[in-house]
């Protein structure tokens, strides 16, 4: 799934909450229509730098993870 996610050019809202996910694929930055990313309740420690530079991302929901720090620019 993660290797093919970059092909989802029309993906607007991705909700992967409460799935014990340990990392987010940096390739999400290729989902040009992505506006909302919700990954609450997982085991994620870092948010990929490439994802934080996504020009269309307007909402990021990340509560209940193991984030070590909040990325610069949020």
């Amino acid at each position: 799934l993660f290797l093919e996610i970059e092909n989802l050019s029309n993906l607007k809202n991705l909700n992967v909450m409460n799935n014990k996910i340990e990392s987010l694929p940096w390739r999400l930055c290729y989902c040009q229509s992505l506006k909302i990313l919700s990954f609450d309740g997982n085991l994620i420690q870092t948010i990929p730098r490439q994802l934080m530079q996504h020009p269309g991302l307007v909402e990021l929901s990340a509560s209940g993870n193991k984030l070590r720090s909040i990325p610069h620019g949020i």
Side-chain angles (χ1 to χ4, degrees):
L1 171 68
F2 285 163
L3 294 176
E4 297 175 3
I5 203 159
E6 64 191 63
N7 296 324
L8 301 175
S9 60
N10 293 322
L11 180 68
K12 294 178 182 168
N13 184 350
L14 180 61
N15 179 333
V16 291
M17 298 186 333
N18 302 311
N19 283 290
K20 298 181 183 175
I21 295 172
E22 295 181 3
S23 65
L24 290 171
W26 67 268
R27 286 183 169 89
L28 279 171
C29 68
Y30 291 120
C31 298
Q32 295 180 7
S33 298
L34 186 63
K35 297 203 178 301
I36 301 170
L37 176 58
S38 305
F39 57 95
D40 304 272
N42 284 290
L43 305 171
I44 295 169
Q45 294 182 12
T46 60
I47 300 172
R49 176 182 43 84
Q50 299 91 332
L51 190 55
M52 296 294 47
Q53 297 171 348
H54 190 294
L57 194 60
V58 294
E59 184 177 322
L60 183 72
S61 184
S63 68
N65 279 280
K66 298 182 180 257
L67 293 174
R68 294 183 200 163
S69 64
I70 297 181
H72 181 69
I74 290 186

